[in-house]
Amino acid sequence: MSEEQFTNWSMGILLTGLIIFMGFIVWDLGKKSQAGKFGMFVLFLVLGLGVGGFVFKNILVEFLIP
């Protein structure tokens, strides 16, 4: 396995774990602060937009830079 293959595999696996862990942190924060349904929706919306922006950036880089 080359270094590039290892990097690609580890980025995918570890970033997925980090995103799931951040989701748990946001859920726990909303629960402890008694944010309610709308507050939890906003918290997860912002987390989702951040993750979506990261994924969108990677897609753009893969297709626009040969």
Side-chain angles (χ1 to χ4, degrees):
M1 177 182 285
S2 70
E3 182 182 354
E4 182 181 359
Q5 288 174 328
F6 176 75
T7 302
N8 287 335
W9 273 93
S10 61
M11 283 286 287
I13 293 169
L14 295 176
L15 280 177
T16 302
L18 179 64
I19 290 168
I20 291 170
F21 184 62
M22 286 190 319
F24 171 74
I25 290 171
V26 169
W27 174 77
D28 190 48
L29 176 68
K31 185 178 173 186
K32 286 184 180 178
S33 68
Q34 298 174 348
K37 289 182 181 180
F38 181 70
M40 290 288 266
F41 172 76
V42 170
L43 287 171
F44 278 105
L45 177 69
V46 170
L47 177 65
L49 287 174
V51 170
F54 179 77
V55 170
F56 185 66
K57 178 196 65 114
N58 285 333
I59 291 171
L60 284 177
V61 167
E62 287 293 323
F63 287 114
L64 293 180
I65 298 175

